């Protein structure tokens, strides 16, 4: 009797192993089918959208761009890497500006262009972004209802409880002062300059992104403000 029980248990164990093995094989077949299907879909995607061709074109474009840039740099190799310029600020102080050589190729004409850019970055006083709607414009003031904001130069805006901010354009010096090294304050919509709040009345009721910033010139200490509206 005891021997029979052991035999039955052994048989049951063998049957269980067989079932587990069969289940594993079925699962393996299903996984293989899924893998084959994924590979097939991937191949169709690559062929349909010419992924390899686009990658190759991008590599070739980058190679051509680098070659063109090297040619442009060689064309101006004799030009100094740095230059300095002196000017007198509005307080009569002599300021020396250092510029670094920058060479690039005009994408439209293919012409090699040499320019010098200021090596000193301006000091950021504040640089805030807002999203919302212009509620009204009156008395050269822009009343802006904010629902998203970001501070300190971060362009990613987070949701906030709605509140109103007023931009007083009378506090902006929008006329150029030739005695100052930097340009005057700026009021901009989609990269176009404006000179009063009334000129932006066509934006009332529109959902916009706004950059409100102030920077300080490292050389003269002059501060200038930018108020920039974007359509998105």
């Amino acid at each position: 009797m005891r021997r029979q029980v052991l035999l039955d248990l052994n048989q049951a164990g063998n049957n269980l192993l067989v079932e587990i093995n069969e289940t594993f094989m079925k699962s393996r077949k299903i996984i293989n089918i899924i893998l084959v299907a994924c590979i097939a879909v991937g191949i169709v995607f690559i062929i349909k959208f010419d992924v390899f061709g686009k990658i190759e074109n991008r590599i070739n474009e980058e190679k051509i761009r680098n070659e063109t840039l090297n040619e442009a740099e060689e064309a101006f190799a004799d030009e100094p890497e740095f230059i300095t310029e002196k000017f007198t600020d509005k307080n009569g102080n002599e300021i020396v500006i250092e510029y670094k050589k920058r060479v690039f190729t005009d994408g439209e004409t293919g012409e090699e262009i040499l320019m010098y850019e200021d090596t000193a970055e301006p000091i950021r006083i504040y640089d805030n972004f807002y999203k919302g709607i212009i509620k009204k414009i009156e008395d050269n003031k822009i009343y802006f209802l904010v629902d998203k904001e970001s501070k300190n130069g971060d362009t990613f805006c987070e949701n906030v409880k709605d509140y109103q901010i007023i931009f007083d354009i009378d506090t902006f010096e929008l006329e150029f002062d030739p005695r100052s090294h930097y340009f005057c304050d700026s009021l901009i919509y989609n990269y176009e300059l404006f000179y009063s709040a009334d000129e932006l009345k066509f934006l009332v009721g529109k959902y916009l992104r706004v950059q409100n910033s102030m920077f300080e010139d490292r050389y003269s200490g002059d501060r200038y403000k930018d108020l920039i509206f974007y359509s998105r």
Side-chain angles (χ1 to χ4, degrees), residues 121-203:
E121 292 290 333
I123 300 170
R124 178 189 296 168
I125 306 303
Y126 59 80
D127 190 13
N128 302 328
F129 288 84
Y130 307 96
K131 288 186 177 182
I133 296 173
I134 294 180
K135 296 297 292 183
K136 65 177 179 177
I137 294 178
E138 62 180 29
D139 298 327
N140 213 26
K141 295 180 178 65
I142 300 173
Y143 295 78
F144 193 81
L145 183 62
V146 178
D147 67 359
K148 294 182 180 181
E149 71 175 12
S150 172
K151 302 292 182 70
N152 301 320
D154 185 359
T155 58
F156 178 76
C157 294
E158 296 182 346
N159 291 322
V160 295
K161 184 178 180 181
D162 290 2
Y163 69 92
Q164 181 174 269
I165 185 172
I166 301 175
F167 301 114
D168 187 354
I169 307 305
D170 282 336
T171 64
F172 284 68
E173 296 181 4
L174 299 175
E175 297 297 328
F176 177 67
D177 182 357
R179 295 172 298 175
S180 177
H181 172 58
Y182 274 97
F183 291 102
C184 55
D185 298 336
S186 298
L187 177 62
I188 299 173
Y189 169 65
N190 278 358
Y191 310 104
E192 181 181 350
L193 286 169
F194 293 83
Y195 297 93
S196 72
D198 286 346
E199 295 180 37
L200 295 175
K201 282 189 173 181
F202 66 94
L203 295 177

Side-chain angles (χ1 to χ4, degrees), residues 35-211:
L35 287 175
V36 171
C38 290
I39 293 172
V41 171
I43 293 173
V44 171
F45 177 84
I46 291 173
I47 295 174
K48 182 177 180 179
F49 295 97
D50 192 20
V51 174
F52 289 132
K54 290 179 179 179
I55 293 174
E56 183 179 3
N57 290 339
R58 186 59 182 267
I59 292 174
N60 289 334
E61 289 174 0
E62 188 67 19
K63 182 179 179 181
I64 293 172
R65 190 186 72 83
N66 290 334
E67 291 176 351
T68 304
L69 181 60
N70 291 335
E71 292 175 0
E73 290 177 347
E74 290 175 1
F76 296 102
D78 295 334
E79 300 295 334
E81 191 68 22
F82 296 92
I83 62 172
T84 58
E85 178 184 7
K86 295 181 180 180
F87 79 97
T88 302
D89 67 14
K90 59 186 179 183
N91 296 317
N93 301 312
E94 183 178 83
I95 306 295
V96 179
I97 311 295
E98 181 184 61
Y99 298 93
K100 179 178 175 60
K101 180 173 71 174
R102 182 186 171 204
V103 180
F104 65 96
T105 301
D106 190 309
E108 295 182 359
T109 66
E111 180 183 0
E112 296 165 350
I113 299 174
L114 169 68
M115 66 176 294
Y116 286 87
E117 59 183 12
D118 194 341
T119 58
E121 292 290 333
I123 300 170
R124 178 189 296 168
I125 306 303
Y126 59 80
D127 190 13
N128 302 328
F129 288 84
Y130 307 96
K131 288 186 177 182
I133 296 173
I134 294 180
K135 296 297 292 183
K136 65 177 179 177
I137 294 178
E138 62 180 29
D139 298 327
N140 213 26
K141 295 180 178 65
I142 300 173
Y143 295 78
F144 193 81
L145 183 62
V146 178
D147 67 359
K148 294 182 180 181
E149 71 175 12
S150 172
K151 302 292 182 70
N152 301 320
D154 185 359
T155 58
F156 178 76
C157 294
E158 296 182 346
N159 291 322
V160 295
K161 184 178 180 181
D162 290 2
Y163 69 92
Q164 181 174 269
I165 185 172
I166 301 175
F167 301 114
D168 187 354
I169 307 305
D170 282 336
T171 64
F172 284 68
E173 296 181 4
L174 299 175
E175 297 297 328
F176 177 67
D177 182 357
R179 295 172 298 175
S180 177
H181 172 58
Y182 274 97
F183 291 102
C184 55
D185 298 336
S186 298
L187 177 62
I188 299 173
Y189 169 65
N190 278 358
Y191 310 104
E192 181 181 350
L193 286 169
F194 293 83
Y195 297 93
S196 72
D198 286 346
E199 295 180 37
L200 295 175
K201 282 189 173 181
F202 66 94
L203 295 177
V204 172
K206 292 187 177 181
Y207 192 83
L208 303 165
R209 179 166 60 95
V210 185
Q211 181 179 6

